[in-house]
Amino acid sequence: MSNDLTLNIEQIKKEKSGIDVLGDIYIYSIFQERITPSDLERFKWYGLYAQDEKQEFFELRIPLNMGELNLEQLRTITQITKDYTNGTLNLSSEQKIELKNLKLHNIPNIFNMLQAVKLNTFFEAGHTVRRVLTCPVNGIDETQLFDVSDLANRINKTFIGNKDYYNLPNKLQMAISGYEEGCDVQFIPDVSFNATKDSKDKIIFSLKLLDKTVGYVTSPQVLNTAKSIANIYKDYGYRENSQKSSFEYLVNNWGFDKFYDILNASINYKIEKDISKKDISTPRKPRMGINSSKIQGESYIGCRFNSNDISYSTLDSLYELLLKYKASKIKITHKANIIILDVPSINAEEFAKELEKIGFNPFS
């Protein structure tokens, strides 16, 4: 990517924020005019991409908070897939759903359907803070040190759709985990908070920038630390050259020590560098297959799928099985597998066998 394109993107953001183009998407969908390159760039903030030069078909990427879908949301996603796509959706390793072969004039109705079940595509892309990545069995795995659901929700509420964080030099991806080793994400997040224990058995979080631990914070300090890091990147990240605009480049150019010093100067507590940690010896439980939940009487079932593309009819079958066996939530993992979170243990074996019949593979 050339420097000129980077300067153009910065100019595009100055002319109009990507977060303010929802009305433009609706106008284009009504009048069916060709979308300008500038607006196509802005539309990515809402997860909307042109699939072809003629703008005949569009792709919509739907990021899921903590990778989770409830029954109502799954039903709506299935209906959208049936009515508006080529009949399939794609699961991504970033805990997103991708819908392809959409017509632009259907986008407003799709947005309304998503909004009705509390799904949205704000900040899917663009130079924003993305939805925080979490571990797929957070809150139900007894080997987990800390349930990070509340922290993850607070981080998402702080950043997603917030105009203070729409205009970063480039994207900023955070992750938070209740495990010392972090989540099994398929890439290195820019910022990670991983739960561990100090020598007094108190939960603390290691703060990692890229793949390096720079210090430790307490759980009440996580959100403010995340905000301070985002503000540093917003104020000091490079904007003139696209190859130097990433968070990774800023950290590597400054060095970890300089970033640590500036971060500490921006907050009213000290990020401890050296602590006495407790050895954590409990191995992480497996994800696939039938596993006991820490919630009494419940299990979770991890399923591989032969392809990341799933048809609406398979989704329909999954929905009916969830109803039949009184389960209410699924999660997409960082390997684009599916975990059913709250299966009554008494029915888990029978449920898993029926899942196998519709193409999910809990036993492989």
Side-chain angles (χ1 to χ4, degrees):
M1 189 179 293
S2 69
N3 292 355
D4 288 342
L5 183 55
T6 300
L7 292 173
N8 287 341
I9 292 176
E10 287 299 315
Q11 184 61 38
I12 286 168
K13 292 191 294 181
K14 289 178 182 177
E15 290 170 358
K16 180 184 287 188
S17 160
I19 203 173
D20 291 330
V21 299
L22 183 59
D24 295 334
I25 294 175
Y26 280 57
I27 289 171
Y28 277 114
S29 72
I30 293 169
F31 292 102
Q32 295 293 294
E33 295 177 352
R34 183 172 180 81
I35 304 170
T36 67
S38 295
D39 280 337
L40 276 178
E41 186 66 32
R42 296 185 188 101
F43 287 1
K44 294 176 183 178
W45 264 245
Y46 277 84
L48 187 63
Y49 299 77
Q51 284 181 217
D52 55 86
E53 290 292 331
K54 293 182 179 179
Q55 300 180 11
E56 185 175 359
F57 293 104
F58 288 80
E59 175 182 346
L60 187 66
R61 300 176 188 172
I62 307 166
L64 305 177
N65 285 346
M66 295 188 285
E68 187 170 310
L69 284 174
N70 61 33
L71 279 177
E72 186 182 27
Q73 292 167 338
L74 176 62
R75 190 65 165 169
T76 296
I77 290 292
T78 302
Q79 193 65 48
I80 293 171
T81 304
K82 179 180 180 180
D83 292 346
Y84 298 116
T85 75
N86 61 348
T88 63
L89 61 75
N90 182 267
L91 304 180
S92 84
S93 59
E94 295 180 327
Q95 297 181 307
K96 298 177 184 179
I97 289 172
E98 299 173 349
L99 303 172
K100 298 184 179 182
N101 297 314
L102 303 172
K103 290 292 190 178
L104 186 61
H105 66 267
N106 290 322
I107 295 298
N109 193 39
I110 292 171
F111 279 167
N112 289 337
M113 292 174 72
L114 293 174
Q115 189 68 31
V117 293
K118 298 182 179 179
L119 292 174
N120 65 67
T121 59
F122 303 158
F123 281 28
E124 187 281 322
H127 294 177
T128 62
V129 181
R130 306 297 170 81
R131 283 162 181 76
V132 65
L133 299 174
T134 60
C135 302
V137 292
N138 176 71
I140 59 175
D141 179 9
E142 60 193 15
T143 65
Q144 184 184 40
L145 297 176
F146 189 83
D147 183 349
V148 300
S149 298
D150 181 60
L151 284 172
N153 284 325
R154 288 168 62 198
I155 290 171
N156 283 334
K157 187 175 180 179
T158 296
F159 290 116
I160 304 306
N162 187 337
K163 287 194 175 184
D164 289 339
Y165 299 101
Y166 82 90
N167 185 15
L168 303 181
N170 211 311
K171 70 175 182 179
L172 185 64
Q173 180 68 71
M174 299 184 184
I176 186 165
S177 172
Y179 301 93
E180 186 174 44
E181 63 269 44
C183 301
D184 189 16
V185 183
Q186 301 300 291
F187 58 92
I188 298 173
D190 297 309
V191 181
S192 300
F193 298 93
N194 298 332
T196 186
K197 288 186 176 182
D198 65 16
S199 58
K200 297 179 180 178
D201 215 34
K202 179 183 177 182
I203 294 290
I204 54 175
F205 283 82
S206 64
L207 168 61
K208 297 182 76 171
L209 302 180
L210 308 177
D211 58 350
K212 180 180 174 62
T213 299
V214 297
Y216 297 87
V217 296
T218 64
S219 57
Q221 294 169 344
V222 166
L223 179 58
N224 195 53
T225 303
K227 288 169 63 178
S228 297
I229 291 171
N231 284 323
I232 290 170
Y233 181 43
K234 179 175 69 172
D235 293 340
Y236 297 104
Y238 301 97
R239 297 176 182 271
E240 292 77 18
N241 185 322
S242 64
Q243 297 180 2
K244 298 180 179 181
S245 65
S246 69
F247 181 79
E248 180 180 11
Y249 183 89
L250 175 64
V251 172
N252 288 332
N253 188 60
W254 276 4
F256 290 95
D257 288 340
K258 179 178 177 179
F259 197 102
Y260 171 86
D261 290 340
I262 292 175
L263 176 58
N264 262 312
S266 68
I267 54 182
N268 59 3
Y269 49 88
K270 181 176 174 59
I271 297 174
E272 299 293 339
K273 270 192 171 182
D274 299 309
I275 62 164
S276 178
K277 279 177 50 192
K278 182 178 181 179
D279 289 334
I280 309 296
S281 58
T282 305
R284 193 203 302 245
K285 287 181 89 173
R287 298 286 184 263
M288 297 296 102
I290 302 171
N291 299 277
S292 296
S293 169
K294 76 175 188 180
I295 300 172
Q296 188 172 5
E298 291 187 359
S299 298
Y300 60 91
I301 304 177
C303 302
R304 291 184 175 87
F305 203 73
N306 294 331
S307 168
N308 289 352
D309 294 320
I310 302 180
S311 70
Y312 74 85
S313 59
T314 300
L315 291 172
D316 239 348
S317 298
L318 174 61
Y319 176 83
E320 294 300 329
L321 286 178
L322 291 168
L323 284 179
K324 178 179 178 180
Y325 290 100
K326 296 179 172 58
S328 66
K329 293 178 290 188
I330 67 171
K331 276 197 180 183
I332 299 172
T333 76
H334 301 297
K335 294 182 180 178
N337 296 316
I338 285 179
I339 295 179
I340 301 167
L341 300 179
D342 55 350
V343 181
S345 296
I346 193 171
N347 296 324
E349 188 73 29
E350 183 182 349
F351 190 5
K353 289 177 181 177
E354 292 214 45
L355 287 167
E356 192 174 34
K357 292 177 183 177
I358 63 170
F360 296 89
N361 298 297
F363 303 116
S364 62

